[in-house]
């Protein structure tokens, strides 16, 4: 018994730092949003959602984050499966390639997408040269370019989570399924997919959380009519000095993330059954 | 015609040739074991038959059809893996039902057949458990049931018992044999445990370095090995170079040793008409006589070297004019190091290889 107390004592310094610098500000941020003139109230939230502009931003952010997560799942799954079946050495190499985008700053990455997607960008020039289009497409400063930027940014997280789980799926299981009459596709559906769900959950939560809170990418690749929650916080706090609204938006963001994480978990365990 | 034939199969991993012009015929209803030292290609042979490994050369004919290029999922072979390979996300029932669901069999029929086979392997009450909640022996039974329930045309087992303790191994191998005979399933069984292999098989294929050295009944493999490798593998530890001098009427013959001594050999295994052969004999078949000993042929003089106590007997290293031999002697009397003895080699215990 006595020993246990000492073990907890060791946790104390870390705990104090966490409480002081993370939990306390977080709590005070959340708390003030519920504070009214007389006790606790949801007035600020109701006011926020009454504003159609705010509603639009919220729905757009949610839509972009979900779309990004969905695309990351679709792109990440086959890629991760391929990587997970490689030899140990090749796997390491491919992982490094996959993670490479994470090693550069989001600003640099967004700028390179501007070079690719811009009016006189690489993509438009190629399409023009091939006579596939008559005038440059508007690929930049809209939701399309934000999603592209976000997928590019967060796909590595999805791949890493999935590879981590998939590489532990024993080759024997795949062979056993095949010997029982399953084609490659059926093996994937009946064995690989269900066994990858834990990685899928972690990956989706990471990508979703990352996308819904992303600031730089939507700011640089988006336009004036593609404001997202993170930009809204910035505008309210830094330009309008409206800390109350900024806190409300932040809290909404947190609650949405928690809620969607919960949903993803639920949905996945449903799939598993 | 054989149910299964491998014809001149070669398999290579990169430059490393693992199977070399391998030939194997298995009859319907037979259990054939692949026996051999680690790395000799047993698993590779089994995986080739299962369709997991591709042949570089040669053909695999099954039931009169060329199976060489048929994909795994169309072969209808049951495969039992060394580490069971049960699906961790499925219950025992669903593991066993996996292959049946794949075959679009109606639900109640699946249920009936799964429960039936679980009853056979003694796991009727475990249907709803997860593989995590099973012991090694139980997992092995599930793996077996899963492979059997699809009514496979061929059952392939890769060291299915090697992760179990010795007692359970004996029990399980009897069960596997019983079920195999009951269902009249043709089976190929990989193992490197001799006793297990001999007790369970109709025929044994002893493999070495990517070829089958001998395919015979367990009795023949044990008593009449045809090559030095097989002889050595089943416990013939002494090999004496012989040269044919005279054939005997009715089989057997007289042979000259390197030191001029004569041996009479009366064993038959098809090697007796070759001029230069080796006489193989087990340590326990050589008799130790006191010096002199009174016999003329089939003896060698020797000096006792190191001796070890093996429980049932002493084992001696004996130096002779034709080399070092291993000889077992009675546990009641221990010969001293340096003692001169005469070794007697019974004519019907020497096998020519
Ligand atoms: N996937 C592989 N890639 C390269 N070489 C392999 C591969 N699998 C097996 N080998 C080689 O092929 C040879 C035969 O292997 P195999 O697994 O068939 O042996 P085995 O007889 O089953 O041995 P054990 O009793 O140890 O299981 C070995 O030398 C092994 O190193
Ligand atoms: Mg093996």
């Amino acid at each position: 018994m006595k020993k246990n107390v000492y073990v907890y004592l060791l946790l104390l310094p870390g705990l104090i730092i966490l409480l002081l610098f993370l939990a306390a500000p977080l709590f005070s941020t959340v708390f003030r949003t519920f504070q009214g003139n007389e006790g606790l109230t949801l007035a600020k939230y109701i006011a926020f959602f009454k504003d159609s502009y705010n509603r639009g931003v919220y729905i757009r952010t949610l839509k972009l984050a979900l779309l990004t997560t969905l695309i990351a799942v679709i792109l990440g799954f086959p890629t991760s499966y391929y990587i997970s079946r490689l030899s140990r050495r090749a796997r390491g190499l491919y992982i490094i390639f996959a993670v490479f985008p994470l090693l550069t700053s989001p600003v640099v990455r967004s700028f390179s997408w501007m070079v690719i997607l811009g009016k006189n960008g690489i993509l438009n020039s190629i399409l023009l040269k091939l006579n596939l289009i008559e005038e440059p497409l508007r690929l930049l400063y809209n939701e399309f370019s934000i999603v592209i930027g976000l997928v590019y940014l967060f796909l590595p997280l999805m791949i890493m989570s999935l590879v981590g789980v998939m590489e532990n799926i024993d080759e024997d299981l795949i062979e056993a399924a095949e010997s029982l009459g399953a084609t490659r596709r059926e093996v994937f559906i009946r064995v690989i997919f269900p066994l990858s769900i834990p990685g899928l959950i972690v990956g989706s939560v990471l990508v979703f959380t990352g996308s819904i809170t992303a600031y730089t990418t939507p700011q640089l690749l988006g336009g004036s009519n593609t404001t997202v929650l993170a930009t809204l916080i910035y505008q309210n706090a830094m330009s309008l000095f409206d800390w109350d609204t900024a806190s409300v938006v932040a809290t909404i963001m947190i609650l949405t993330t928690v809620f969607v994480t919960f949903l993803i978990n639920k949905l996945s365990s449903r799939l598993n059954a | 015609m054989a149910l299964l034939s491998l014809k001149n199969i070669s398999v290579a991993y990169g430059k490393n040739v693992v199977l070399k012009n391998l030939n194997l015929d298995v009859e319907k209803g037979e259990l054939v074991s692949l026996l051999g030292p680690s790395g000799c290609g047993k698993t590779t042979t089994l995986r080739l038959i299962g369709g997991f490994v591709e042949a570089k050369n040669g053909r695999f004919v099954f039931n009169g059809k060329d199976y060489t290029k048929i994909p795994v999922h169309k072969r209808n072979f049951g495969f039992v893996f060394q580490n069971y390979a049960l699906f961790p996300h499925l219950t025992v029932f669903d593991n066993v039902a996996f292959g049946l669901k794949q075959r679009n069999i109606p639900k109640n029929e699946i249920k009936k057949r799964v429960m039936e086979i679980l009853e056979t392997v003694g796991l009727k009450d475990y249907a709803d458990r997860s593989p995590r909640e099973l012991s090694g022996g139980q997992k092995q039974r599930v793996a077996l049931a899963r492979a059997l329930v699809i009514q496979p045309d061929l059952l392939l087992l890769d060291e299915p018992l090697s992760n179990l303790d010795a007692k359970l191994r004996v029990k399980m191998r009897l069960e596997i044999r019983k079920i195999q005979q009951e269902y009249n399933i043709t089976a190929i069984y990989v193992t490197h445990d001799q006793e297990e292999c001999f007790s369970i098989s109709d025929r044994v294929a002893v493999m070495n370095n990517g070829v089958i050295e001998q395919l015979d009944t367990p009795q023949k493999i044990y008593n009449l090995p045809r090559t030095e490798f097989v002889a050595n593998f089943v416990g013939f530890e002494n090999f004496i170079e012989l040269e044919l001098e005279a054939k005997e009427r009715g089989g057997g013959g007289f042979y000259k040793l390197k030191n001029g001594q004569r041996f009479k050999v009366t064993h038959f295994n098809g090697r007796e008409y070759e001029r230069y052969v080796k006489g193989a004999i087990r340590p326990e078949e050589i008799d130790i006589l006191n010096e002199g000993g009174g016999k003329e042929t089939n003896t060698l003089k020797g000096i006792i070297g190191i001796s070890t106590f093996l429980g049932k007997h002493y084992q001696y290293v004996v130096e002779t004019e034709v080399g070092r031999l291993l000889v077992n002697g009675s546990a009641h009397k221990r010969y001293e190091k340096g003692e001169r003895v005469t070794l007697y080699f019974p004519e019907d215990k020497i096998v020519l290889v």
Side-chain angles (χ1 to χ4, degrees):
Chain A
M1 251 358 250
K2 198 141 200 171
K3 196 173 129 211
N4 276 345
V5 176
Y6 289 123
V7 171
Y8 287 126
L9 269 180
L10 287 176
L11 292 176
L12 215 55
L15 207 61
I16 289 175
I17 291 183
L18 274 180
L19 280 175
L20 214 58
F21 294 104
L22 191 71
L26 202 64
F27 178 77
S28 73
T29 306
V30 172
F31 186 72
R32 65 193 287 172
T33 64
F34 292 104
Q35 247 175 347
N37 290 333
E38 309 97 51
L40 297 177
T41 161
L42 285 174
K44 286 173 188 158
Y45 289 89
I46 293 165
F48 177 84
F49 278 111
K50 271 216 170 118
D51 186 333
S52 68
Y53 176 76
N54 288 344
R55 271 205 312 274
V57 170
Y58 180 73
I59 289 167
R60 178 182 308 116
T61 312
L62 204 60
K63 188 179 78 185
L64 292 180
L66 286 174
L67 198 60
T68 304
T69 311
L70 189 71
I71 295 174
V73 168
I74 293 169
L75 293 180
F77 228 100
T79 317
S80 309
Y81 183 53
Y82 176 77
I83 293 176
S84 71
R85 295 295 114 190
L86 292 171
S87 74
R88 238 192 145 65
R89 262 183 56 195
R91 219 186 302 151
L93 206 67
Y94 273 70
I95 291 274
I96 291 175
F97 278 133
V99 176
F100 207 73
L102 286 180
L103 302 179
T104 55
S105 115
V107 179
V108 175
R109 271 173 281 168
S110 294
F111 275 123
S112 44
W113 277 111
M114 289 180 187
V115 173
I116 296 170
L117 298 176
K119 197 167 173 197
N120 303 314
I122 297 170
L123 196 61
N124 269 324
S125 330
I126 292 174
L127 291 176
L128 282 172
K129 276 253 168 60
L130 293 174
N131 278 328
L132 288 173
I133 51 173
E134 256 133 53
E135 50 189 273
L137 295 174
R138 219 178 104 63
L139 299 170
L140 211 49
Y141 309 127
N142 50 24
E143 295 184 359
F144 169 79
S145 54
I146 296 180
V147 170
I148 288 209
L150 289 176
V151 168
Y152 178 69
L153 185 59
F154 293 121
L155 187 58
L157 296 179
M158 179 63 80
I159 291 179
M160 284 204 298
S161 323
L162 278 174
V163 169
V165 173
M166 282 178 166
E167 67 185 356
N168 289 322
I169 300 177
D170 209 332
E171 189 72 28
D172 281 359
L173 293 182
I174 297 166
E175 292 184 347
E178 280 185 274
S179 78
L180 292 168
T183 60
R184 281 285 149 98
R185 203 175 60 92
E186 288 159 339
V187 171
F188 195 83
I189 296 170
R190 298 187 60 190
V191 180
I192 310 283
F193 181 73
L195 289 176
S196 306
I197 283 177
L200 200 64
I201 294 177
V202 174
S204 302
V205 167
L206 287 176
V207 173
F208 181 80
T209 317
S211 309
I212 205 170
T213 54
Y215 173 75
T216 320
T217 309
Q219 181 72 0
L220 292 177
L221 294 178
S224 52
N225 53 358
T226 57
T227 313
V228 293
L229 287 180
T231 13
L232 200 60
I233 296 181
Y234 184 85
Q235 283 168 3
N236 276 302
M238 296 308 183
S239 312
L240 307 173
F241 296 105
D242 179 356
W243 287 89
D244 268 358
T245 310
S247 303
V248 167
V249 180
T251 309
I252 289 173
M253 217 148 91
I254 293 170
L255 292 177
T256 307
T257 313
V258 170
F259 180 67
V260 171
T261 304
F262 174 78
L263 271 188
I264 290 174
N265 257 308
K266 263 274 175 299
L267 189 73
S268 311
S269 57
R270 173 82 58 80
L271 281 174
N272 210 355
Chain B
M1 207 186 63
L3 176 70
L4 171 161
S5 0
L6 298 180
K7 301 184 185 211
N8 281 316
I9 291 283
S10 295
V11 171
Y13 292 112
K15 281 214 173 81
N16 180 15
V17 181
V18 177
L19 299 182
K20 297 158 196 151
N21 289 321
L22 184 124
N23 287 285
L24 176 67
D25 280 345
V26 176
E27 304 293 333
K28 190 160 173 37
E30 214 182 6
L31 193 155
V32 171
S33 286
L34 304 179
L35 178 68
S38 192
C40 69
K42 304 181 294 290
T43 299
T44 305
T45 310
L46 204 69
R47 290 171 57 78
L48 175 107
I49 295 170
F52 301 119
V53 175
E54 232 176 272
K56 207 176 68 169
N57 281 311
R59 286 201 320 142
F60 165 36
V61 178
F62 188 82
N63 215 353
K65 286 195 280 285
D66 190 339
Y67 263 52
T68 321
K69 292 260 161 12
I70 302 243
V72 181
H73 66 272
K74 291 202 178 130
R75 291 193 183 200
N76 197 38
F77 293 170
F79 209 108
V80 179
F81 294 82
Q82 182 168 357
N83 56 1
Y84 323 126
L86 299 181
F87 304 119
H89 59 298
L90 300 177
T91 60
V92 167
F93 183 94
D94 287 327
N95 261 282
V96 177
F98 193 98
L100 296 177
K101 285 187 184 154
Q102 208 58 55
R103 285 163 176 74
N104 292 323
I105 291 170
K107 254 205 164 113
N108 44 357
E109 169 80 10
I110 290 182
K111 180 147 195 205
K112 197 175 125 249
R113 279 169 65 179
V114 170
M115 290 321 281
E116 223 170 75
I117 197 82
L118 282 179
E119 173 129 41
T120 309
V121 298
L123 287 178
K124 198 165 51 96
D125 301 332
Y126 293 76
D128 294 328
R129 290 228 192 158
S130 141
R132 260 189 309 275
E133 304 162 336
L134 298 180
S135 72
Q138 290 166 339
K139 281 185 200 159
Q140 191 56 72
R141 281 166 220 251
V142 177
L144 190 64
R146 186 178 66 178
L148 284 171
V149 80
I150 60 169
Q151 300 172 340
D153 297 323
L154 182 68
L155 184 61
L156 303 168
L157 307 109
D158 190 359
E159 308 208 23
L161 307 181
S162 62
N163 287 339
L164 306 178
D165 68 60
K167 249 200 177 136
L168 195 55
R169 266 211 301 269
V170 174
K171 185 164 170 251
M172 283 296 295
R173 79 187 186 213
L174 290 173
E175 272 179 44
I176 291 180
R177 179 61 162 165
K178 206 182 101 220
I179 292 172
Q180 180 258 332
Q181 288 180 328
E182 215 170 276
Y183 286 57
N184 193 28
I185 289 178
T186 315
I188 302 184
Y189 190 103
V190 166
T191 175
H192 57 240
D193 181 329
Q194 265 183 55
E195 190 190 299
E196 180 177 310
C197 163
F198 288 155
S199 69
I200 202 176
S201 318
D202 293 303
R203 287 192 300 159
V204 176
V206 181
M207 290 189 67
N208 178 31
N209 240 329
V211 296
I212 293 178
E213 294 241 348
Q214 187 171 355
L215 174 63
D216 253 323
T217 61
Q219 291 78 3
K220 283 232 174 98
I221 296 279
Y222 191 77
N223 296 317
L224 285 176
R226 293 170 58 104
T227 67
E228 183 171 347
F229 173 82
V230 178
N232 198 353
F233 197 73
V234 298
F236 289 77
E237 307 220 34
N238 302 302
F239 295 90
I240 302 166
E241 286 181 35
L242 302 174
E243 185 185 347
L244 183 65
E245 266 195 336
K247 280 182 218 168
E248 279 250 290
R249 217 173 278 136
F254 285 98
Y255 292 84
K256 200 172 75 192
L257 271 64
K258 276 269 157 70
N259 67 347
Q261 183 72 347
R262 292 183 105 210
F263 269 23
K264 187 179 177 193
V265 178
T266 57
H267 234 100
F268 306 91
N269 66 348
R271 298 290 300 266
E272 56 265 22
Y273 301 120
E274 288 169 38
R275 181 146 180 215
Y276 295 100
V277 288
K278 281 182 180 165
I281 188 161
R282 296 176 191 274
E284 63 266 29
E285 305 291 6
I286 302 175
D287 294 332
I288 306 179
L289 313 172
N290 293 326
E291 198 168 21
K295 287 202 168 84
E296 281 296 310
T297 57
N298 288 41
T299 57
L300 271 175
K301 288 195 168 50
I303 301 167
I304 299 278
I306 300 164
S307 64
T308 10
F309 180 60
L310 295 180
K312 271 187 234 149
H313 46 247
Y314 285 105
Q315 184 162 75
Y316 303 97
V317 176
V318 182
E319 296 289 349
T320 72
E321 283 178 328
V322 297
R324 227 174 242 185
L325 299 177
L326 279 180
V327 184
N328 292 355
S330 139
H332 302 302
K333 176 174 195 273
R334 184 170 201 163
Y335 290 91
E336 294 302 323
K337 191 168 176 176
E339 229 176 296
R340 287 173 184 281
V341 292
T342 300
L343 302 177
Y344 175 64
F345 303 80
E347 57 187 39
D348 58 343
K349 297 290 195 246
I350 302 170
V351 175
L352 299 176
V353 295

